[in-house]
Amino acid sequence: MQLSDKKATLSFSDGTPSVEFPIYQGTVGPDVIDIRKLYGETNMFTYDPGFMATASCESAITYIDGEKGQLLYRGYPIEQLALNCDFLDVCYLILNGELPNGDQKKEFDSLVTHHTMVHEQMQYFLRGFRRDAHPMAVLTGLVGAMSAFYHDSTDINDPHHRHVSAIRLIAKMPTLVAMAYKYSKGEPFIYPRNDLSYTGNFLRMMFATPCEDYEVNEVVERALDRIFILHADHEQNASTSTVRLCGSSGTNPFAAIAAGVGCLWGPAHGGANEACLTMLEEIQANGGLDYVGEFMEKVKDKSSGVRLMGFGHRVYKNYDPRAKLMQETCKEVLSALGLENDPLFKLAMELERIALEDEYFVERKLYPNVDFYSGIVQRAIGIPTSLFTAIFALARTVGWIAQWSEMLSDPNYKIGRPRQLYTGEVERDVPTGR
Ligand code: CMC
């Protein structure tokens, strides 16, 4: 970051002397006012619930311009990455800052592929869960348990350990997600196969059985790979900030990523894709297109507590660029699988059409986000709704681990410790003789 010539001055209406703060500039996007000395000089904190105006760190990984609807990984537009790269190219880029050349790509693909198997004993740990447990509950446990199974890569001060843990997490996540799925179905686990692509391997681990192999469908493989690319990183979102905060205590990477999985689960974040599909199914069950008008009235009525899931975003105040790509993929997959007349897709298109014209959504700048169409794609592929967020976690793992690693290399990194505006009781004595 670069120090700006400009400074910010904070003045007070009661005559308290004003304080000057430095301003730093990034390469693009808003500058930041460095308020680190605020408390020391004024005995005051800043108050910013939800971090609406707070940059929690410096980062060179992902850039979002919410007004433009722009998303860049390491400077490359998401649209170009989605068209020209596969998920492992994007993982390499996010981790290392540059796209791999031919040799680097071969080496990286092989490294990840050769780490896809998980410790055999992990399945006994997994078998301790109820079969009807939510996959995100299982995944939180499994990822946390990796620190017990792979404690030879938990020394955060050792760059080799950090690298190995990153590769292990990226490589083993598909295996763990597929195992969680197979367990819920009561089917045997399918081991990874090294001759398949990252995404093809995941599809096979999900859908093959010992009685019948699964032949990878290229359109489906490409679509899922795109879902992974679109979800790979999203700067300081709630789960990434959770990973950073958790990791800032010096805990091991598996524990930090498990915290991220837990955060992602919520319906305002990664759980929105599951919630969006559930919403579409409910609309369908209540009359489909005939019910859309009534449903939209409920959405606009704050007292109903109903939100249009898959719509709105804290940062995007324009079309989420990932949603455009996902809508394209959705059309491709439905057509390749002969599901062009999918009623939920039609419903989604109609909801989108109404919302884009409706004053309520227009004035609040609410546009479809990535989750609006990703659920329809996953459902068409045969992935059950309850697994959608686990797939998001699989894809976001690279972003989490890259952000964690970046934080550890940052000379300004400290344990995250927000403060508060205390509004509770002032000191008082416990009554005697109770
Ligand atoms: N449906 C109806 N109204 C909405 C919606 C929605 N989906 N989203 C926001 N609003 C309204 C909200 O009621 C508020 O109205 P008012 O100003 O009159 O009080 C205004 O828009 C601003 O909303 P907010 O909740 O203050 O905005 P936020 O930045 O805190 O929340 C959000 C962002 C994503 C949590 C929210 O838009 C939402 O709940 N969307 C639905 C869930 C969803 O799709 N989440 C996935 C996000 S993308 C995937 C990811 O990155 O995790």
Side-chain angles (χ1 to χ4, degrees):
M1 59 186 177
Q2 202 184 337
L3 194 59
S4 160
D5 296 337
K6 214 165 52 173
K7 283 189 170 31
T9 307
L10 177 66
S11 56
F12 301 89
S13 55
D14 66 352
T16 308
S18 59
V19 192
E20 222 169 56
F21 298 102
I23 294 181
Y24 287 99
Q25 295 172 322
T27 42
V28 60
D31 297 346
V32 299
I33 303 171
D34 177 356
I35 55 152
R36 279 176 288 185
K37 65 175 187 184
L38 177 75
Y39 178 53
E41 297 207 356
T42 66
N43 205 29
M44 283 185 205
F45 299 132
T46 53
Y47 178 64
D48 184 19
F51 306 107
M52 303 288 286
T54 296
S56 61
C57 62
E58 179 185 347
S59 181
I61 301 176
T62 292
Y63 175 72
I64 303 173
D65 183 328
E67 295 297 327
K68 271 201 229 163
Q70 180 186 47
L71 169 62
L72 312 176
Y73 295 160
R74 301 284 190 183
Y76 294 115
I78 190 68
E79 293 82 357
Q80 293 179 27
L81 292 169
L83 272 183
N84 302 311
C85 300
D86 68 17
F87 179 62
L88 287 186
D89 285 321
V90 169
C91 287
Y92 186 98
L93 171 72
I94 288 176
L95 287 174
N96 300 298
E98 294 298 337
L99 283 165
N101 63 28
D103 288 345
Q104 290 165 333
K105 165 83 171 143
K106 243 195 220 156
E107 198 186 316
F108 184 72
D109 284 7
S110 160
L111 185 65
V112 171
T113 304
H114 287 90
H115 274 91
T116 48
M117 256 172 58
V118 298
H119 193 292
E120 192 65 4
Q121 227 162 310
M122 276 199 94
Q123 60 166 287
Y124 300 109
F125 176 73
L126 171 55
R127 285 181 201 282
F129 286 98
R130 284 170 56 136
R131 293 229 182 231
D132 60 355
H134 193 283
M136 285 300 276
V138 175
L139 200 61
T140 312
L142 289 178
V143 175
M146 282 180 77
S147 45
F149 286 98
Y150 301 103
H151 47 76
D152 59 343
S153 57
T154 50
D155 179 357
I156 64 161
N157 299 313
D158 181 333
H160 180 64
H161 278 219
R162 274 150 65 169
H163 177 65
V164 173
S165 63
I167 298 298
R168 280 182 167 154
L169 276 157
I170 293 165
K172 295 184 198 306
M173 209 62 165
T175 315
L176 296 178
V177 173
M179 282 171 77
Y181 172 62
K182 287 298 197 191
Y183 185 67
S184 72
K185 291 210 34 161
E187 287 183 5
F189 303 127
I190 300 293
Y191 289 98
R193 232 177 60 189
N194 288 355
D195 60 332
L196 295 175
S197 72
Y198 183 87
T199 305
N201 199 20
F202 173 64
L203 283 165
R204 185 178 163 275
M205 288 190 286
M206 286 280 297
F207 299 122
T209 68
C211 326
E212 201 168 323
D213 207 0
Y214 172 83
E215 208 166 302
V216 179
N217 172 321
E218 272 178 31
V219 177
V220 167
E221 182 184 15
R222 184 70 208 144
L224 195 57
D225 201 72
R226 180 174 274 193
I227 290 183
F228 293 166
I229 292 173
L230 300 185
H231 288 87
D233 194 46
H234 216 224
E235 52 118 308
Q236 308 313 319
N237 57 84
S239 58
T240 302
S241 299
T242 301
V243 169
R244 279 186 179 257
L245 189 59
C246 182
S248 76
S249 71
T251 192
N252 74 73
F254 305 111
I257 303 296
V261 176
C263 175
L264 187 75
W265 192 357
H269 191 10
N273 50 19
E274 180 178 344
C276 181
L277 204 84
T278 306
M279 172 192 82
L280 292 173
E281 281 168 348
E282 272 169 22
I283 298 174
Q284 183 63 12
N286 278 296
L289 289 169
D290 294 338
Y291 178 63
V292 165
E294 198 183 317
F295 177 77
M296 287 303 251
E297 288 312 309
K298 274 197 195 157
V299 167
K300 292 189 279 178
D301 172 10
K302 290 283 163 62
S303 66
S304 74
V306 177
R307 282 200 168 196
L308 181 56
M309 298 312 286
F311 251 74
H313 199 274
R314 169 63 61 80
V315 183
Y316 292 119
K317 300 302 167 200
N318 199 327
Y319 218 99
D320 176 344
R322 303 168 302 169
K324 277 190 193 146
L325 292 158
M326 195 45 71
Q327 194 199 59
E328 243 173 52
T329 299
C330 194
K331 283 185 186 155
E332 268 167 37
V333 168
L334 294 179
S335 135
L337 300 179
L339 300 168
E340 294 91 338
N341 293 321
D342 181 71
L344 295 196
F345 182 60
K346 290 208 164 131
L347 266 183
M349 299 278 284
E350 182 59 7
L351 285 169
E352 179 183 337
R353 189 192 62 76
I354 296 176
L356 293 180
E357 287 170 3
D358 192 299
E359 200 45 39
Y360 175 95
F361 294 90
V362 173
E363 72 184 20
R364 290 173 178 77
K365 298 188 176 173
L366 300 170
Y367 291 88
N369 60 53
V370 67
D371 289 327
F372 197 62
Y373 288 105
S374 72
I376 299 173
V377 178
Q378 293 186 61
R379 178 172 155 274
I381 292 175
I383 295 169
T385 316
S386 62
L387 211 71
F388 290 178
T389 315
I391 299 225
F392 189 161
L394 179 175
R396 183 56 58 86
T397 295
V398 62
W400 287 331
I401 199 75
Q403 299 264 356
W404 168 82
S405 188
E406 183 183 63
M407 175 188 74
L408 295 182
S409 319
D410 184 343
N412 288 319
Y413 134 70
K414 280 181 182 307
I415 183 169
R417 178 46 170 106
R419 302 304 299 268
Q420 63 176 8
L421 175 65
Y422 178 69
T423 53
E425 295 289 347
V426 295
E427 183 176 346
R428 52 183 174 161
D429 293 323
V430 174
T432 49
R434 287 182 313 123

